[in-house]
Amino acid sequence: AAGVIQSPRHLIKEKRETATLKCYPIPRHDTVYWYQQGPGQDPQFLISFYEKMQSDKGSIPDRFSAQQFSDYHSELNMSSLELGDSALYFCASSKRESGQYFGPGTRLTVT
Amino acid sequence: DAKTTQPPSMDCAEGRAANLPCNHSTISGNEYVYWYRQIHSQGPQYIIHGLKNNETNEMASLIITEDRKSSTLILPHATLRDTAVYYCIVRVATGTASKLTFGTGTRLQVTL
């Protein structure tokens, strides 16, 4: 079965640079979520989109923005990167109240 | 969303049933109990969810007490590949899907 696809899988950036993470949800899923997981921490919710509209917002820095496109894929844009942004970034998708299905994650390293 | 309490770690022998408890004493009537697990650095994996009836799927069974203040996830025949952090999450079911709030979870170690 098709799963959530995330790209790139690994990304290395320097401080103050920008990064764009992409997420392709499972076909026919209408909701996309982004989570951040720092080293040794539990996943933390950042933002979600339902039918291309922002649905919920968590502890997402103002330097980050995201959107969901007409084909339902989503992008997380991160600017003015800081060392503390180094983390695993997971995208998940769901169809209404079904369980959320997570992608393999993007490992972002900021140096 | 209601908070949950889980033991930080548990051990289980391979082939035996793993019973992972979760307390959610402040759960509301419209909140579901979800279970996810995360194998080291992989994306969290959905296991099962329920409202008040017991549920079973190909991965696990979920037993919810009658007062809904606690639940148990049962892996009937644990294998080494079930070693992971297991998260019990209580989540409001709304018109649009809502976020997952991960707690510290239970680190399950399956041993030979």
Side-chain angles (χ1 to χ4, degrees):
Chain A
V4 175
I5 297 171
Q6 291 188 246
S7 67
R9 294 292 310 277
H10 301 272
L11 189 60
I12 300 174
K13 291 286 186 178
E14 294 186 356
K15 284 196 308 183
R16 293 180 288 279
E17 286 192 317
T18 61
T20 297
L21 309 185
K22 296 185 179 182
C23 170
Y24 298 86
I26 292 172
R28 290 179 292 283
H29 279 195
D30 52 24
T31 307
V32 167
Y33 312 78
W34 286 97
Y35 292 83
Q36 177 191 58
Q37 186 172 26
Q41 298 180 2
D42 302 299
Q44 298 294 316
F45 171 75
L46 292 177
I47 196 167
S48 64
F49 293 87
Y50 168 68
E51 285 290 347
K52 293 157 279 185
M53 298 289 290
Q54 183 178 307
S55 171
D56 198 358
K57 198 171 182 179
S59 50
I60 182 170
D62 292 341
R63 299 177 289 107
F64 294 7
S65 65
Q67 58 182 324
Q68 186 179 29
F69 294 86
S70 58
D71 63 352
Y72 291 93
H73 94 273
S74 178
E75 294 183 3
L76 177 66
N77 298 294
M78 310 158 71
S79 63
S80 302
L81 287 169
E82 303 173 356
L83 296 178
D85 297 328
S86 295
L88 273 167
Y89 290 84
F90 292 107
C91 171
S93 73
S94 73
K95 188 169 179 62
R96 295 306 293 273
E97 294 310 321
S98 71
Q100 293 181 24
Y101 293 85
F102 285 74
T106 294
R107 182 176 295 279
L108 172 67
T109 302
V110 181
T111 62
Chain B
D1 293 342
K3 290 189 176 179
T4 61
T5 304
Q6 299 177 251
S9 63
M10 293 182 64
D11 292 329
C12 179
E14 189 176 34
R16 306 297 294 268
N19 297 284
L20 291 90
C22 178
N23 285 322
H24 32 79
S25 59
T26 60
I27 192 170
S28 300
N30 64 345
E31 290 179 318
Y32 288 74
V33 179
Y34 283 77
W35 283 85
Y36 285 77
R37 73 180 182 184
Q38 186 174 29
I39 298 169
H40 181 63
S41 293
Q42 296 182 20
Q45 179 186 21
Y46 165 77
I47 302 173
I48 199 167
H49 76 283
L51 183 61
K52 51 185 174 182
N53 296 323
N54 297 337
E55 302 288 344
T56 295
N57 62 21
E58 64 279 3
M59 287 184 67
S61 294
L62 173 61
I63 308 298
I64 303 174
T65 58
E66 193 168 341
D67 62 7
R68 302 207 324 123
K69 293 185 177 181
S70 65
S71 61
T72 301
L73 177 75
I74 301 173
L75 308 178
H77 305 286
T79 70
L80 296 178
R81 287 178 293 182
D82 292 321
T83 292
V85 178
Y86 287 77
Y87 295 98
C88 168
I89 299 170
V90 173
R91 176 180 175 226
V92 174
T94 60
T96 57
S98 55
K99 65 187 179 187
L100 296 172
T101 300
F102 290 85
T104 53
T106 295
R107 186 172 300 275
L108 175 68
Q109 180 69 51
V110 181
T111 58
L112 290 171

